[in-house]
Amino acid sequence: TLSRRITNFKAGDELNSIANSFNGMLDRLQLAFDREQRFSAAAAHELKTPLTVIKTNLDVFDLDETHSKEDVEDILGVVKKQTDRMVMLVNDLMILSTNHACNRNDKVSIDKLLAEIREEMLPDMINKSIKFRMDTVPCNITANAVMIKHAISNLLNNAIKYNVDGGQISVSAYTEENRCIICIVDTGIGIEEDKTKYIFEPFYRVDKSRSRTVGGAGLGLAITKEIIMQHKGTIVHGKNEPQGSKFTVTLPLA
Ligand code: ADP
């Protein structure tokens, strides 16, 4: 830890204020180090879980001399599922940890992008009998098309995952001054007021056991926020009355 602070400094005002700035800088560095440490610990933990499952399955496989076709299929199924999970996790970690010097010059039509994402997620919505409404006007932004799609897909994916069977999702996109505003509203389980300040932090999940059953390591919103910030936009969470969540994203228009 960065424990060295300048203390008991008896000097003129000017030197005192330098000492204070120095101490303040150390505090901020300490916070950054702590955050990095928590991030690495959580990442290691998330990777360890699927690895342990794979290893346990392979160990059993080793001991057993005679393998029926079903056993082999079962074990390969588990190994494949856990490997897929690790690949997704590593992809997410890479997005969060690389400082993208990526191109942000694509012309992106938000209304077309939303329609595309809806098409892709239709089977998941049908699966949960979710009613979907979309209301958009033409909104063009300059962005990295792949990243923006990833960010918005995460929000829509959550609106499905944390929704109730037979729930609703409303998506709208409109322009206000020089900004495009995208709202994704669901009638799902919602987020308790005191938890909302953590949801954009990496690896945070409101309900760990429940979230585990719907997959996800708690990186989706952190990635979404990171991408939106890189495009000079904002994202906020609000409540949907009487039930559910509302995420509002603003992005500068082209
Ligand atoms: P996860 O992989 O767990 O979905 P996210 O970073 O996307 O991770 O979201 C973080 C947490 O915020 C989720 O685990 C969930 O508890 C909560 N959350 C996100 N979106 C919603 C939503 N639309 N409704 C209710 N809770 C949500």
Side-chain angles (χ1 to χ4, degrees), residues 48-65:
K48 195 171 171 211
T49 311
L51 276 173
T52 308
V53 177
I54 289 173
K55 185 162 184 331
T56 312
N57 273 274
L58 292 180
D59 283 348
V60 171
F61 200 46
D62 265 354
L63 290 175
D64 192 0
E65 288 295 317

Side-chain angles (χ1 to χ4, degrees), residues 102-243:
C102 64
N103 121 67
R104 280 180 220 117
N105 303 321
D106 304 329
K107 289 199 182 328
V108 181
S109 152
I110 290 293
D111 42 307
K112 290 208 180 96
L113 184 73
L114 286 171
E116 199 180 305
I117 296 172
R118 179 191 56 182
E119 281 311 302
E120 288 172 10
M121 299 205 171
L122 212 55
D124 293 336
M125 291 195 265
I126 291 171
N127 236 341
K128 280 185 93 166
S129 313
I130 289 173
K131 290 185 247 359
F132 185 83
R133 270 206 340 238
M134 189 149 87
D135 183 13
T136 59
V137 301
C139 293
N140 296 311
I141 65 166
T142 309
N144 181 296
V146 175
M147 289 290 167
I148 285 294
K149 183 170 178 187
H150 194 70
I152 298 174
S153 298
N154 278 346
L155 295 177
L156 206 58
N157 190 24
N158 281 350
I160 300 171
K161 274 198 310 194
Y162 300 106
N163 218 321
V164 291
D165 280 342
Q168 282 180 30
I169 297 175
S170 313
V171 174
S172 60
Y174 55 95
T175 62
E176 204 174 84
E177 293 172 4
N178 53 356
R179 294 170 309 160
C180 166
I181 300 174
I182 306 157
C183 293
I184 294 166
V185 187
D186 67 63
T187 56
I189 59 171
I191 301 170
E192 292 158 52
E193 202 99 27
D194 58 328
K195 307 276 166 60
T196 56
K197 56 177 177 286
Y198 304 116
I199 56 173
F200 295 105
E201 281 180 16
F203 298 110
Y204 182 79
R205 294 183 301 245
V206 172
D207 178 345
K208 297 199 189 316
S209 52
R210 183 184 177 117
S211 295
R212 182 55 78 220
T213 63
V214 288
L219 288 175
L221 285 181
I223 288 174
T224 294
K225 182 162 184 174
E226 176 65 27
I227 294 171
I228 301 295
M229 303 281 277
Q230 280 172 14
H231 287 83
K232 301 190 166 55
T234 61
I235 176 166
V236 290
H237 170 267
K239 266 173 93 162
N240 177 38
E241 293 300 345
Q243 176 189 334

